[in-house]
Amino acid sequence: MIKSPRARSMARWPVALTLSALLGATLMGCNDKEAVNNSSDADSKAEKALAEDQSITINNTAEPESIDPHKVSAVPEGNIIRQLFIGLVDTDREGKTVPGMAESWESKDNKVWTFKLRDAKWSNGDPVTAEDFVYSWQRLVDPNTASPYASYLVDAKVSGAEAVMAGEANPETLGIKALDNKTLQITLTEPVPYFPDMLIHTSTKPVPQKVIEQFGDKWTDAANIVVNGPYTLSEWRVNDKIVLKRNPSYFDNAHTTIDTVTILPISSPTTDVARYQAGEVDVSAEVPPEQFESIKASMGKELRVAPRLCTYYYKYNTVRSPFNDVRVRRALALALDRDVIATKVMGQGQQPAYQLTPPSTNGMTNFTPEWQAWSKEQRIKEANSLLQQAGYSASHPLKFQLLYNTSDNHKKIAVAFSSLIKEALGTDKVQVELVNKEWKTYLDTRRTGDYDIARSSWCGDYNEPSSFLNTLKTDNTNNHGKYSSPEFDRLLNQTLVEGVDAKQRANLYQQAEAQLDADMPNLNMYHYVGVRLVKPYVIGFPDNDPLDVWHMKDVAIAKH
């Protein structure tokens, strides 16, 4: 899923800040109200007395474009939707797949899956049934929904998904049916052993059919919304806050402790930290790189740093000049000193990225490109040669716009990128215009392909390489750069052919990464670490989930 935003205003401006100036700046199960056992804190074995007021405020970095599970594609939206809706499966504090609306599931061949649903209710008192999932998945792939995640069920190999998404078949032909109110059967075209893990994703959660049919696009308004998760929407003040309240109809409400969740859209990491220090935020979203060391020294016990299954990269528009030429794409990738970006501009533990898939992803055999071992001088020499072959020189400089969503960190990276590229290839050969846009506008601009090269990132929807690599398949709805490689598609499709084992699948993923290196649809920069501040009285906020999938139902506030 697309990682974090930071958005405020729209502006166009030339690069005026030098790299040296930039680096100088950046381098400076119990009774609700009695007790809770927290397995993710240092003193996890001890029970703590809880505060009377079980309210929490967390920063989420952006104003969401929607909270309709079928209308979104990014992390901030998913963070909210996850508190409101529960899918067939869920995750625990370590990111492991656990039962959600389904109490159990089974498959004899990894192709036909049967899910047994628990007794659960929507917030209006209606039962959650297998038909709710049938409706929801049909809505997801229906072209009339125009979901940015419509191809997710295609990648999951759900029978009929591709034809429905293409408008060639009725949504009712999708391979999902209710055997009875509490039994759901899903048929795949190929065996997918990790299929249940895919179902933690936002797009596969159920939505209430009769509410959508009654209110249309207004069904997610606070006055109309009906949910099946631990919280319901109480208030939404645009660009200010979203307030969630406990849902008494939630099946596991007895084990939920937090009563009120306030979610803020603070786009500036500096403002985020300032409001945290002022006591207005209990859990921050980020820590600015330039404040990292000082905060580590002064608030080390509240600082949480953990690896994340996320990759930061620039996405080329491969069907628009100048980046429809692989030589130009490759020249920039070779010329960029990504170690400077990872270790100096960020400098919080991020690792330089030479492949899209984070190396720690389950089931990955990592790919090491030959040029990774080259000296800086050798890379720059080859980059200049490629640029010259593509027809660019001092008399005919390479010109392009770099799109990013407004954020202090994204601005620093964009300025550093521009400076490093110019330093390597020659200031007279490259001209970069930086374009920053507010989060929703940025997303829309990227989806419509109205850009040259765009800031991007991807966080795994589940812990398996296909979550990253599928996004570059030809018809994937998240393939905004329009990359298309029959060989890459073949390799990804081969991973789920019957008889392919885990070792062979890992090898195919490695070959797919090699194909991406040859074609360079993305310019990979670094693999993430999560860096945030958490108040000492917040119990149970997860540290050990590489997907960073937090649930407020698992959190509590201790007396303080």
Side-chain angles (χ1 to χ4, degrees):
M1 180 172 276
I2 301 172
K3 173 77 173 157
S4 178
R6 317 276 159 253
R8 192 64 64 185
S9 62
M10 182 190 301
R12 291 174 184 261
W13 45 281
V15 178
L17 186 60
T18 66
L19 179 61
S20 59
L22 172 73
L23 295 183
T26 58
L27 290 174
M28 280 208 17
C30 39
N31 192 324
D32 288 356
K33 293 293 189 293
E34 292 178 0
V36 68
N37 188 296
N38 171 34
S39 64
S40 63
D41 288 295
D43 53 352
S44 59
K45 302 295 184 182
E47 290 186 340
K48 294 183 178 181
L50 298 189
E52 185 64 27
D53 179 15
Q54 288 295 314
S55 301
I56 192 167
T57 299
I58 183 169
N59 181 32
N60 194 38
T61 73
E63 177 65 26
E65 60 174 342
S66 174
I67 55 170
D68 182 330
H70 299 150
K71 298 289 188 178
V72 303
S73 63
V75 169
E77 290 79 6
N79 286 339
I80 300 168
I81 291 168
R82 190 166 58 249
Q83 318 309 314
L84 302 172
F85 299 93
I86 301 292
L88 291 170
V89 302
D90 209 345
T91 58
D92 64 13
R93 291 174 182 167
E94 295 182 349
K96 296 175 182 176
T97 301
V98 296
M101 285 295 100
E103 288 185 311
S104 64
W105 52 88
E106 64 178 5
S107 178
K108 294 180 180 179
D109 58 2
N110 289 333
K111 289 178 71 172
V112 178
W113 292 84
T114 304
F115 292 82
K116 292 288 186 179
L117 273 60
R118 69 174 74 249
D119 290 328
K121 293 181 179 180
W122 291 96
S123 55
N124 64 356
D126 290 346
V128 178
T129 68
E131 283 291 350
D132 290 323
F133 285 92
V134 173
Y135 166 76
S136 300
W137 286 26
Q138 289 175 354
R139 180 177 185 256
L140 170 62
V141 296
D142 189 336
N144 293 317
T145 304
S147 174
Y149 256 85
S151 64
Y152 194 71
L153 297 187
V154 176
D155 293 333
K157 302 298 182 181
V158 176
S159 176
E162 190 167 9
V164 175
M165 191 183 78
E168 298 169 355
N170 192 292
E172 282 73 23
T173 63
L174 188 68
I176 180 171
K177 62 181 178 179
L179 302 183
D180 56 48
N181 280 345
K182 296 297 179 184
T183 309
L184 187 70
Q185 185 182 82
I186 301 167
T187 302
L188 312 182
T189 58
E190 303 287 350
V192 183
Y194 51 83
F195 180 69
D197 296 331
M198 295 187 72
L199 304 186
I200 67 174
H201 189 255
T202 298
S203 65
T204 65
K205 296 181 186 299
V207 292
Q209 179 175 1
K210 73 178 186 181
V211 179
I212 293 172
E213 291 175 346
Q214 180 179 358
F215 296 106
D217 290 341
K218 298 292 185 182
W219 81 271
T220 54
D221 289 359
N224 305 330
I225 195 167
V226 169
V227 301
N228 73 326
Y231 296 94
T232 191
L233 179 64
S234 173
E235 183 182 4
W236 186 347
R237 288 163 52 178
V238 175
N239 291 320
D240 182 19
K241 65 180 178 180
I242 286 176
V243 180
L244 310 181
K245 296 286 188 180
R246 268 174 76 171
N247 172 18
S249 297
Y250 173 54
F251 77 89
D252 200 28
N253 183 51
H255 293 99
T256 303
T257 304
I258 296 288
D259 295 319
T260 304
V261 183
T262 300
I263 299 174
L264 305 180
I266 304 168
S267 62
S268 165
T270 303
T271 303
D272 186 7
V273 169
R275 293 188 64 175
Y276 177 91
Q277 291 172 321
E280 299 173 10
V281 172
D282 300 307
V283 180
S284 79
E286 286 188 296
V287 170
E290 64 271 21
Q291 295 184 33
F292 180 70
E293 290 301 331
S294 63
I295 287 174
K296 185 177 179 180
S298 62
M299 294 188 288
K301 291 184 179 180
E302 299 171 49
L303 184 65
R304 308 280 183 94
V305 181
R308 292 283 178 261
L309 289 186
C310 300
T311 302
Y312 193 104
Y313 56 92
Y314 282 173
K315 181 188 294 288
Y316 294 115
N317 188 335
T318 65
V319 296
R320 187 160 99 174
S321 180
F323 297 118
N324 57 347
D325 189 330
V326 67
R327 294 171 298 184
V328 180
R329 302 197 299 265
R330 193 165 186 81
L332 296 193
L334 289 171
L336 179 66
D337 190 340
R338 56 193 38 74
D339 287 60
V340 170
I341 302 290
T343 63
K344 294 183 178 178
V345 177
M346 298 306 291
Q348 299 166 314
Q350 292 85 353
Q351 295 297 313
Y354 294 90
Q355 63 179 32
L356 174 62
T357 311
S360 58
T361 306
N362 289 342
M364 185 66 201
T365 297
N366 295 314
F367 169 73
T368 303
E370 179 187 0
W371 57 269
Q372 182 176 341
W374 292 359
S375 67
K376 181 177 180 179
E377 292 73 21
Q378 189 177 1
R379 293 184 193 182
I380 291 173
K381 180 180 179 181
E382 177 65 15
N384 272 295
S385 175
L386 288 168
L387 207 60
Q388 185 177 16
Q389 292 171 35
Y392 296 99
S393 62
S395 60
H396 181 220
L398 174 68
K399 299 178 182 179
F400 61 91
Q401 292 181 341
L402 168 56
L403 171 70
Y404 68 98
N405 52 294
T406 309
S407 147
D408 295 343
N409 286 348
H410 297 330
K411 176 180 175 180
K412 288 169 189 169
I413 292 170
V415 172
F417 166 81
S418 179
S419 298
L420 288 164
I421 290 297
K422 288 183 176 182
E423 178 185 295
L425 299 176
T427 56
D428 56 344
K429 293 182 186 177
V430 181
Q431 295 178 14
V432 186
E433 181 184 6
L434 305 188
V435 181
N436 65 293
K437 295 189 177 186
E438 176 269 336
W439 177 239
K440 295 183 198 177
T441 307
Y442 153 83
L443 288 176
D444 185 62
T445 302
R446 238 180 39 173
R447 285 171 185 157
T448 58
D450 188 19
Y451 71 92
D452 296 330
I453 184 172
R455 196 285 310 175
S456 193
S457 53
W458 194 262
C459 293
D461 295 323
Y462 49 98
N463 193 343
E464 214 272 344
S466 60
S467 180
F468 291 86
L469 296 170
N470 281 341
T471 64
L472 287 166
K473 289 170 68 175
T474 297
D475 295 324
N476 190 280
T477 46
N478 282 297
N479 184 3
H480 305 127
K482 303 302 179 187
Y483 169 66
S484 181
S485 164
E487 176 60 13
F488 179 81
D489 293 346
R490 185 194 70 78
L491 289 166
L492 265 292
N493 290 330
Q494 188 69 22
T495 64
L496 291 174
V497 169
E498 196 158 357
V500 171
D501 61 24
K503 185 176 180 180
Q504 291 169 319
R505 188 174 298 113
N507 181 258
L508 288 164
Y509 289 143
Q510 185 184 52
Q511 292 178 56
E513 286 283 2
Q515 188 65 48
L516 294 183
D517 180 67
D519 298 336
M520 210 65 77
N522 294 338
L523 196 168
N524 300 316
M525 289 196 185
Y526 63 81
H527 301 298
Y528 275 73
V529 289
V531 185
R532 58 161 49 100
L533 290 162
V534 180
K535 293 291 186 182
Y537 50 76
V538 175
I539 306 169
F541 197 87
D543 288 327
N544 300 322
D545 180 2
L547 296 173
D548 195 26
V549 177
W550 48 267
H551 299 272
M552 283 305 175
K553 66 182 176 64
D554 296 331
V555 177
I557 303 296
K559 285 184 178 179
H560 57 283

